[in-house]
């Protein structure tokens, strides 16, 4: 008998577990509860893309007017005989199959393969395995098109019935869907769920619903449990209810579940399991606010035990190396700190707990958790899913990773602020950081100030420079349509982005249209941002986006299309010399941005070159060799012979071991004191010399 079965419903992501159930299992297991977890998302993907299921689907086919669907059906035998091998390959099974996949005649090809035109040179550089992943992803997308046309239009690899859950006023629309007969995909989902119920015999089942695209499947599962296991209590929580259902008055959902949890689920679930006073929980009787929270330290290490680690599929939906990180690779998802250390942006849900309550843990404790997770999953890759990872915490964790000599790979979300000096970025890269993502938003200083972003375009460009020079890939989120943004500012934003791509400071980006939400500062007081609410209506079920009225003076839809078209070219290195306003349909003003705005940041001195006697001196380099003329420094791919005066050589041989000892903090003040034992010259002058710059490039860092 299990106290609680935690379930990730279809569909979230196929390449790695969504971490919600693992965090809940880690906490509740530590409290003595018997907790199991299941990832129905990846299990159902594997079941759908299998020979047995596809043969069943092809047998249901009725003649289609769509030529592409007819083609896929005509190739049914090829699909049925290749699909198991394809999914096994995407699970990192037999990589030798990549050669056969790339030959061109192995995989049946339908409409999605039009995207392969002109990619020969790209994949010649990227490699056979990556090319095969991309082709297999197109293959699965073709099959997804067929499934949508013949089984249900709600199916996608990473979402299910999303359109139904988006901006849904009343639960009636969902209930209408739930009253229909299950389709073959849902029937297969029920079979997988039943197997877990049989194996665990839970007293309670909890569903995490992080996104709109898994609400319908979670409710379908709850409906099945209600009908076949009526004694089981059912809980639902996650990001979607925490943002969309906070003001819910429609009680229809409680015909399918018993509890709806808002915000972090650890304490609410503990109270439900023990019969204690409810906290942050809806029931059919209403909302129970309760008292108490669980700190990030108390939440502890996620527990991934019991998840099907060999079942996850690495897809490659786009060829951009930064975009691939979201769908390619087996990442352990962990959170460095709860909440956002800034939590002031006007467009962000800063009133909600997951943003406004910032808490971190000591670096040593967090790296303990990393080592525990590596042992559980067998993976050294980490995606830190923070709202914005603080530079100070990244510094401390990087030092701890290096101190333990761990070989790990990680990436995270940041704010492009001045704290990301060249030396900090190099330290992060030495500790395994390969990529960061962060918001540049409107790329306009006036609007960045208006939205209280806390950075300027110049600061962001400088941070991007330091990250890129350290070999860390950069993705930036971009925004258009923020209240009072003019067409001139929209053109100027594109010009900033053009300059960033031309300077190779950004590897990928994504434009999204500003949406005003009820939990953001702009949604709470639209008038302060120059717009007004369209109405004050509160929907009985889901509420998130605030409709507002603004006199723009230009077509924002066309502007968005222009921005996306330009960006699509920039990410392939094309169109970077074309004037920004030329991408816009109709008459658009030329940019007013200084043509050297970004280029000027490339020559600005790094803040890490400003002498600070309180700063820590860290040596991350490979052991040096002493010669009669100085030192030979070794890098992973080369070496450098630096000539020093004898006293400088002796000084460096003295301080490098101290700076390499990451068990203690060795400061520049201590280094300066030691330098005086060898010379009456100025230590600061030596620090500012070109020789020291070379030492920095090999790992002598000011942190």
């Amino acid at each position: 008998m299990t106290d609680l079965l935690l379930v990730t419903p279809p569909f979230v992501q196929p390449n790695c577990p969504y971490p919600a159930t693992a965090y809940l299992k880690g906490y509740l297991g530590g409290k003595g509860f018997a907790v199991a977890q299941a990832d129905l998302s990846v299990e159902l993907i594997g079941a759908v893309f299998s020979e047995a299921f596809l043969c069943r689907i092809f047998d249901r086919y009725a003649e289609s007017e769509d030529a592409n669907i007819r083609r896929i059906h005509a190739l049914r035998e090829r699909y049925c005989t290749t699909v198991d091998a394809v999914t096994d390959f995407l699970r990192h099974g037999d990589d030798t199959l990549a050669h056969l996949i790339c030959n061109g005649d192995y995989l049946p090809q339908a409409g999605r393969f039009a995207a392969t035109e002109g990619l020969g040179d790209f994949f010649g550089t990227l490699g056979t395995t990556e090319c095969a992943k991309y082709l297999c992803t197109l293959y699965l997308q073709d099959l997804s098109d067929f499934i949508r046309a013949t089984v249900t239009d709600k199916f996608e690899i990473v979402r299910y019935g999303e359109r139904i859950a988006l901006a849904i006023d009343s639960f009636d629309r969902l209930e209408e869907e739930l009253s229909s007969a299950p389709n073959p995909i849902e029937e297969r989902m029920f079979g997988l769920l039943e197997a877990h119920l049989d194996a665990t015999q839970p007293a309670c089942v909890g569903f995490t619903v992080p996104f709109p695209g898994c609400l319908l499947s979670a409710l379908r599962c709850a409906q099945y449990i209600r009908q076949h296991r009526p004694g089981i209590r059912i809980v639902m929580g996650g990001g979607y209810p925490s943002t969309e259902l906070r003001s819910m008055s429609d009680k229809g959902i409680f015909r399918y579940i018993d509890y709806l949890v808002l915000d972090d689920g650890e304490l609410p679930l503990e109270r439900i399991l023990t019969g204690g006073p409810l906290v942050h929980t809806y029931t059919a009787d209403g909302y129970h606010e309760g008292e108490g929270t669980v700190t990030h330290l108390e939440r502890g290490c996620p527990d991934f035990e019991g998840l099907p680690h060999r079942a996850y599929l690495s897809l490659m939906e786009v060829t951009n190396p930064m975009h691939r990180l979201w769908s390619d690779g087996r990442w352990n998802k962990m959170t460095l700190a709860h909440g956002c250390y800034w939590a002031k942006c006007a467009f962000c849900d800063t009133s909600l707990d997951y943003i406004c309550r910032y808490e971190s843990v000591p670096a040593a404790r967090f790296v303990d958790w990393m080592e525990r997770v590596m042992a559980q999953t067998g993976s050294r890759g980490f995606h830190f899913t923070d709202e914005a990872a603080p530079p100070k915490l990244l510094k401390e964790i990087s030092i701890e990773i290096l101190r333990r000599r761990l070989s790990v790979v990680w990436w995270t979300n940041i704010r492009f602020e001045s704290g990301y000096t060249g030396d900090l970025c190099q330290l992060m890269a030495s500790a395994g950081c390969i990529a960061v993502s962060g918001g540049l938003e409107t790329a306009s200083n006036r609007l960045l100030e208006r939205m209280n972003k806390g950075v300027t375009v110049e600061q962001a460009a400088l941070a991007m420079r330091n990250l890129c020079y350290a070999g860390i890939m950069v993705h930036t989120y971009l925004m258009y349509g923020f209240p009072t943004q003019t067409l001139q500012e929209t053109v100027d934003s594109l010009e900033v982005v053009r300059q960033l791509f031309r300077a190779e400071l950004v590897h990928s980006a994504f434009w999204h249209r500003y949406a005003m939400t009820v939990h953001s500062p702009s949604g709470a007081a639209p008038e302060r941002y120059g717009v007004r609410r369209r109405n004050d209506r509160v929907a009985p079920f889901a509420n998130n986006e605030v409709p507002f009225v603004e006199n723009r003076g230009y077509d924002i839809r066309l502007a968005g299309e222009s921005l996306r078209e330009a960006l699509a070219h920039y990410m392939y290195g094309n169109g970077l010399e074309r004037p920004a306003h030329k991408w816009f349909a109709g008459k658009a003003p030329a940019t007013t941005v200084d043509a050297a705005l970004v280029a000027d940041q490339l020559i600005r001195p790094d803040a890490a070159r400003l002498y600070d006697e309180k700063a820590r001196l860290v040596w991350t380099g490979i052991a040096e060799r002493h010669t009669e003329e100085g030192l030979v420094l070794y890098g992973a791919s080369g070496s450098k012979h630096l000539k020093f005066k004898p006293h400088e050589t002796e000084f460096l041989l003295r301080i490098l071991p101290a700076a390499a000892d990451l068990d203690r903090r060795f400061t520049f003040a201590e280094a300066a004191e030691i330098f005086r034992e060898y010379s009456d010259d100025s230590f600061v002058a030596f620090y500012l010399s070109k020789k020291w710059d070379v030492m920095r490039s090999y790992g002598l860092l000011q942190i």
Side-chain angles (χ1 to χ4, degrees):
M1 184 77 173
T2 302
D3 294 315
L4 175 65
L5 171 63
L6 294 164
V7 178
T8 301
F11 291 106
V12 180
Q13 58 189 120
N15 63 309
C16 58
Y18 191 76
T21 64
Y23 269 107
L24 294 169
K25 184 177 188 299
Y27 174 81
L28 293 169
K31 293 290 183 178
F33 296 102
V35 181
Q37 61 184 330
D39 190 342
L40 285 189
S41 180
V42 71
E43 289 183 27
L44 187 55
I45 282 291
V48 168
F49 293 115
S50 67
E51 181 178 0
F53 190 82
L54 284 187
C55 288
R56 180 185 174 192
I57 296 307
F58 280 124
D59 288 342
R60 289 168 49 97
Y61 173 76
E63 189 66 24
S64 172
E65 296 180 0
D66 188 315
N68 188 55
I69 300 303
R70 292 200 302 271
R71 172 174 174 78
I72 294 173
H73 184 261
L75 294 169
R76 61 172 293 175
E77 291 301 323
R78 293 296 303 276
Y79 281 110
C80 288
T81 57
T82 56
V83 66
D84 288 340
V86 165
T87 54
D88 184 58
F89 168 74
L90 292 174
R91 292 185 183 111
H92 302 284
D94 186 0
D95 286 349
T96 60
L97 192 66
H99 300 280
L100 188 59
I101 292 169
C102 292
N103 283 343
D105 294 327
Y106 177 71
L107 296 180
Q109 300 180 15
R112 298 289 185 140
F113 279 76
T116 61
E117 296 178 6
L119 290 177
D121 293 340
F122 179 83
F123 283 118
T125 302
L126 195 58
T128 302
T129 301
E130 287 77 8
C131 177
K133 282 185 183 179
Y134 183 64
L135 296 176
C136 286
T137 303
L138 297 177
Y139 166 99
L140 295 185
Q141 289 172 337
D142 275 333
L143 285 173
S144 298
D145 292 339
F146 185 82
I147 291 170
R148 278 192 295 277
T150 59
V151 179
T152 174
D153 62 358
K154 294 182 283 295
F155 175 79
E156 292 185 58
I157 294 175
V158 293
R159 57 185 65 90
Y160 186 78
E162 182 180 63
R163 289 193 303 274
I164 298 173
L166 286 173
I168 180 170
D169 282 2
S170 168
F171 189 74
D172 291 347
R173 176 66 186 90
L174 280 165
E175 193 140 52
E176 178 184 344
E177 187 64 38
L178 293 168
S179 66
S180 64
N183 62 54
I185 290 176
E186 293 169 343
E187 290 172 350
R188 189 69 186 91
M189 177 178 68
F190 296 155
L192 295 170
L193 175 62
E194 180 63 32
H196 285 288
L197 296 174
D198 273 342
T200 60
Q201 295 295 312
C204 186
V205 174
F207 293 96
T208 179
V209 182
F211 311 115
C214 50
L215 175 64
L216 177 60
S217 59
L219 286 170
R220 272 295 200 191
C221 288
Q223 181 184 41
Y224 177 88
I225 295 172
R226 273 280 195 267
Q227 293 172 350
H228 299 275
R229 308 265 185 144
I232 295 177
R233 292 183 296 167
I234 304 172
V235 188
M236 185 179 291
Y240 177 82
S242 294
T243 54
E244 303 262 355
L245 306 183
R246 300 191 78 88
S247 56
M248 181 182 66
S249 59
D250 187 334
K251 296 183 179 181
I253 196 170
F254 293 108
R255 289 190 283 274
Y256 301 86
I257 66 173
D258 298 292
Y259 308 94
L260 185 74
V261 168
L262 304 183
D263 304 322
D264 295 340
E266 285 81 4
L267 186 59
L269 281 171
E270 184 180 358
R271 297 281 180 86
I272 290 169
L273 294 176
T274 60
L278 298 178
V279 57
H280 305 159
T281 301
Y282 272 107
T283 67
D285 297 328
Y287 182 61
H288 306 264
E289 174 64 29
E291 294 183 356
T293 57
V294 170
T295 68
H296 195 48
L297 184 61
E298 291 170 330
R299 176 175 296 107
C301 179
D303 183 353
F304 291 93
E305 182 185 0
L307 293 176
H309 299 299
R310 296 182 180 275
Y312 292 94
L313 288 75
S314 283
L315 304 183
M316 187 173 168
E317 298 175 288
V318 293
T319 55
N320 180 283
M322 182 71 205
H323 278 204
R324 286 172 51 203
L325 294 179
W326 276 273
S327 60
D328 184 14
R330 173 60 179 79
W331 303 104
N332 300 312
K333 290 183 178 288
M334 296 180 66
T335 305
L336 293 169
H338 184 280
C340 177
Y341 70 99
W342 179 250
K344 298 178 183 178
C345 296
F347 56 84
C348 188
D349 292 339
T350 55
S351 65
L352 297 185
D353 181 80
Y354 83 99
I355 297 289
C356 68
R357 183 165 61 90
Y358 175 75
E359 296 170 345
S360 63
V361 297
R365 179 65 63 88
F366 187 82
V367 180
D368 286 343
W369 295 346
M370 290 176 65
E371 292 194 274
R372 195 184 308 174
V373 168
M374 281 192 288
Q376 288 178 351
T377 66
S379 172
R380 296 177 178 271
F382 290 86
H383 175 198
F384 300 141
T385 58
D386 292 59
E387 295 302 313
K392 181 180 179 182
L393 185 56
L394 289 178
K395 175 192 71 174
E396 294 168 350
I397 286 175
S398 295
I399 289 174
E400 186 65 20
I401 289 171
L402 292 169
R403 188 185 71 80
R404 300 189 192 194
R405 301 180 182 276
L406 298 180
S407 293
V408 294
V409 179
W410 53 273
W411 56 292
T412 190
N413 194 53
I414 67 167
R415 297 177 65 250
F416 294 122
E417 60 170 77
S418 57
Y420 289 98
T421 65
D423 285 15
L424 174 57
C425 295
Q426 192 172 332
L427 179 77
M428 289 163 54
S430 298
C433 180
I434 59 169
V436 298
S437 57
L440 185 58
E441 318 309 349
T442 56
S444 160
N445 281 337
R446 183 188 77 85
L447 293 169
L448 288 172
E449 182 178 7
R450 189 170 181 81
M451 64 175 60
N452 203 15
K453 182 69 181 178
V455 299
T456 65
V457 170
E458 292 80 6
Q459 286 173 331
L462 193 57
M464 292 173 182
R465 180 201 72 176
N466 293 336
L467 290 159
C468 289
Y469 284 6
I472 297 172
M473 290 192 295
V474 173
H475 171 89
T476 186
Y477 302 104
L478 301 166
M479 179 189 297
Y480 68 95
F482 190 78
T484 74
Q485 183 174 17
T486 65
L487 180 59
Q488 178 69 69
E489 287 172 322
T490 306
V491 172
D492 289 349
S493 296
L494 182 60
E495 170 62 15
V496 171
V497 174
R498 183 192 72 83
Q499 290 187 27
L500 289 170
F501 271 95
R502 188 177 63 177
E504 299 182 348
L505 300 188
V506 171
H507 300 89
S508 70
F510 180 78
W511 287 104
H512 71 275
R513 181 173 171 174
Y514 164 78
M516 181 178 288
T517 64
V518 295
H519 311 297
S520 67
S522 56
E527 296 78 11
R528 289 180 53 192
Y529 297 87
V531 297
R532 60 181 177 86
R533 294 178 70 111
R534 191 179 299 277
N535 59 65
D536 293 324
R537 180 176 179 271
V538 178
F541 187 62
N543 291 274
N544 189 32
E545 189 168 342
V546 176
F548 66 94
V549 178
E550 179 182 19
N551 297 320
R552 295 188 184 278
Y554 64 98
D555 189 329
I556 191 171
R557 182 184 59 82
L558 289 178
E561 291 175 359
S562 301
L563 294 171
R564 286 187 287 271
E565 181 185 4
L567 185 59
H569 284 81
Y570 293 169
M571 287 201 291
Y572 285 97
N574 301 324
L576 292 171
E577 302 306 320
R578 184 180 183 182
H581 70 280
K582 294 292 187 181
W583 292 99
F584 290 80
K587 187 175 182 181
T591 184
T592 62
V593 174
D594 188 334
L597 173 67
V598 171
D600 285 346
Q601 309 314 308
L602 301 180
I603 59 175
R604 282 186 59 188
D606 183 10
R609 294 301 280 132
L610 301 176
Y611 179 73
D612 181 0
E613 65 175 15
K614 296 181 181 179
R616 182 173 182 174
L617 186 61
V618 172
W619 171 241
T620 64
I622 301 171
E624 71 292 336
R625 181 167 64 85
H626 182 198
T627 71
E628 292 183 358
E629 295 181 315
L631 296 175
V632 177
L633 302 178
Y634 294 94
S637 59
S639 60
K640 179 76 172 181
H641 189 184
L642 281 181
K643 293 181 179 180
F644 290 105
K645 296 175 183 178
H647 73 275
E648 293 173 340
T649 301
E650 293 300 321
F651 164 72
L652 290 170
L653 290 172
R654 174 94 172 269
I655 69 164
L656 289 179
D661 182 3
L662 299 182
D663 287 321
R664 59 161 296 204
R665 178 183 174 85
F666 181 65
T667 67
F668 273 82
E670 293 177 82
E673 187 68 27
I674 294 172
F675 188 80
R676 283 193 285 271
E677 297 178 19
Y678 293 92
S679 174
D680 293 330
D681 294 342
S682 167
F683 173 66
V684 175
F686 181 53
Y687 165 77
L688 294 174
S689 68
K690 291 183 178 180
K691 293 178 182 179
W692 191 282
D693 265 337
V694 176
M695 296 287 291
R696 287 177 69 234
S697 68
Y698 279 83
L700 188 58
L701 308 177
Q702 175 177 311
I703 302 300

